């Protein structure tokens, strides 16, 4: 997790007077629940929804295996606040997300990546 993201979480913990819990998961494109071929070796991979507990954050790593990951996207459920603190390429074949749920309600987050077959 980026240092700036960790600082933001610490400030919120102090402000709210509570500690946020952390959980990490790892996906790979072979376990995607939906794959959309886009042509010329490109594809969109969507993953199953993951629950983010109240007052917690979740780090997710997606491994591309035989694909180079180009872009990552996400969507939170519900209308309450929810933040994606990190959304970046950690390597050619790895994408990294940090989802933060500062509310008292469990939320789900769904991820998708765009990838191209490695040459």
């Amino acid at each position: 997790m980026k240092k700036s993201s960790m600082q933001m979480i610490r400030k919120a913990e102090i402000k709210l007077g509570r500690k946020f819990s952390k959980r990490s998961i790892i996906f790979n494109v072979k376990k995607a629940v939906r794959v959309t071929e886009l042509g010329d070796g490109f594809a969109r991979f969507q993953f199953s929804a993951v629950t983010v507990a109240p007052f917690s954050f979740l780090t997710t790593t997606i491994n591309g295996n035989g694909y180079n990951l180009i872009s990552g996207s996400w969507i939170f459920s519900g209308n309450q606040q929810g933040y994606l603190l990190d959304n970046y390429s950690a390597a050619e074949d790895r994408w990294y997300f940090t989802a933060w749920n500062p509310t008292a309600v469990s939320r789900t987050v769904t991820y998708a990546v765009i990838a191209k077959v490695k040459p």
Side-chain angles (χ1 to χ4, degrees):
M1 178 182 313
K2 289 184 178 180
K3 187 176 182 179
S4 60
S5 299
M6 202 62 213
Q7 289 172 339
M8 183 181 292
I9 290 171
R10 284 189 185 128
K11 285 180 185 178
E13 287 175 336
I14 292 167
K15 184 177 179 180
L16 295 173
R18 65 175 43 190
K19 190 85 171 150
F20 288 91
S21 63
K22 177 184 176 183
R23 189 171 68 127
S24 298
I25 59 172
I26 298 173
F27 286 127
N28 68 61
V29 294
K30 292 179 182 177
K31 300 290 182 175
V33 294
R34 186 171 175 192
V35 179
T36 306
E37 295 295 332
L38 303 173
D40 293 328
F42 289 91
R44 179 179 187 270
F45 298 89
Q46 184 175 342
F47 300 90
S48 58
V50 180
T51 301
V52 184
F55 303 109
S56 68
F57 61 100
L58 170 71
T59 60
T60 304
T61 304
I62 297 177
N63 294 316
N65 300 96
Y67 289 84
N68 286 330
L69 302 181
I70 298 167
S71 176
S73 64
W74 57 278
I75 188 164
F76 259 117
S77 66
N79 295 323
Q80 295 89 5
Q81 285 182 319
Y83 304 96
L84 198 69
L85 301 178
D86 294 323
N87 179 11
Y88 64 90
S89 174
E92 288 180 353
D93 61 350
R94 192 173 321 121
W95 205 269
Y96 188 80
F97 298 94
T98 302
W100 177 29
N101 180 13
T103 68
V105 179
S106 290
R107 311 275 303 282
T108 60
V109 63
T110 305
Y111 300 107
V113 293
I114 303 292
K116 180 166 175 43
V117 174
K118 287 184 178 182

